[in-house]
């Protein structure tokens, strides 16, 4: 799935890295605990989260993730947006809750832990 | 690459929002050296977990990274409270992090086991009331 499709499906606002919207991603994860993301996530390129602090961006950067979706209308500050831009990580913000946003992406083919072939 | 490259960072323990800066920088530097993404990812995750630990549990410290042709060594040194029982601290799920840390997304007790998992060697030297030194190594395959 293209990151741009994620933006459309979640009616999300794009906060940075428009040039990456055509990038293909194959799996995603949803969590508010960065500890768990660091410990359990393998190759998921998309992180959906309700947590907003710079560690979310740094965690995604450490994990080589390509896109972060902030749910429940949470908005990162300019410092976080600058961090993400620096790492080429697309930031999206949606009004949806975590469960709903994950469900929509999953049912449209963006799986959890297996890379679709 | 000839000889060895070293990087040194002071990790500020007073400001959680800056925690992880050293690891982000090391990741950039390792990319410049052309190391494989898998090696870089393992080093980044292990160092980031250790750096966050220094900020959350020890009031900050220093991070030193030594890169040779054979391996990447990460040495995290702090003068925090130390770890009383290292075997217990290494267990998945053991954490003394307060609730405010959990609301920031950390404190699941997964960091130390994760550091061990992503490195080829990990050693913790710690003395209560004196501090902690965590040394990790990741080998670079030929
Ligand atoms: N540098 C340190 N100085 C003092 N105590 C430490 C240090 N690093 C870890 N500890 C102790 O070991 C425990 C386990 O650490 P670990 O990194 O596994 O989990 P955590 O930091 O509590 O949570 P998580 O890493 O999942 O966010 C900590 O809760 C803390 O009590
Ligand atoms: Mg930890």
């Amino acid at each position: 799935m293209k990151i741009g499709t994620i933006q459309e499906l979640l009616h999300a606002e794009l906060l940075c890295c428009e040039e990456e919207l055509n990038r293909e991603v194959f799996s995603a994860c949803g969590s508010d605990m960065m500890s768990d993301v660091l410990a359990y996530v393998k190759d998921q390129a998309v992180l959906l989260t309700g947590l907003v602090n710079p560690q979310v961006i740094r965690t995604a950067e450490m994990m080589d993730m390509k896109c972060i979706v902030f749910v429940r209308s949470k908005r990162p500050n300019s410092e976080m947006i600058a961090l993400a831009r620096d790492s080429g990580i697309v930031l999206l913000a949606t009004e949806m809750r975590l469960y709903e946003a994950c469900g929509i992406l999953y049912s449209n083919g963006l799986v959890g832990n297996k890379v679709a072939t | 690459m000839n000889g060895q490259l070293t990087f040194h960072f002071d990790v500020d323990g007073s400001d959680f929002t800056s925690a992880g800066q050293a690891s982000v920088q090391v990741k950039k530097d390792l990319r410049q050296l052309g190391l494989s993404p898998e090696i870089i990812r393992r080093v980044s995750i292990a160092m980031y977990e250790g750096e966050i630990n220094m900020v959350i549990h020890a009031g900050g410290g220093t991070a030193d990274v030594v890169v040779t042709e054979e391996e990447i060594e990460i040495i995290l040194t702090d003068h925090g409270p130390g770890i009383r029982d290292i075997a217990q601290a290494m267990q998945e799920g053991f954490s003394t992090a307060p609730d405010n840390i959990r609301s920031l997304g950390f404190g699941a007790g997964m960091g130390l086991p994760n550091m061990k998992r992503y490195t080829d060697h990990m050693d913790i030297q710690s003395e209560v009331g004196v501090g902690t030194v965590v040394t990790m190594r990741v080998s670079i395959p030929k």
Side-chain angles (χ1 to χ4, degrees), chain A residues 11-15 68-70 74-76 91-95:
Chain A
H11 308 293
E13 187 183 338
L14 174 69
L15 303 174
I68 301 170
V69 181
F70 294 101
K74 298 272 171 69
R75 299 294 300 255
L91 296 187
L92 299 173
T94 176
E95 288 178 8

Side-chain angles (χ1 to χ4, degrees), chain A residues 16-17 57 61 80-89, chain B residues 24-25 28 31:
Chain A
C16 77
C17 298
I57 315 284
E61 158 77 350
M80 292 176 61
I81 294 173
L83 266 178
R85 189 174 288 127
D86 204 40
S87 299
I89 298 172
Chain B
V24 171
Q25 186 57 48
K28 290 199 177 116
R31 279 202 191 110

Side-chain angles (χ1 to χ4, degrees), chain B residues 119-138:
Chain B
T119 55
D120 295 307
H121 165 95
M122 173 168 147
D123 170 69
I124 304 175
Q125 299 292 326
S126 191
E127 199 178 322
V128 174
V130 178
T132 302
V133 181
V134 179
T135 306
M136 295 178 282
R137 290 194 205 108
V138 172

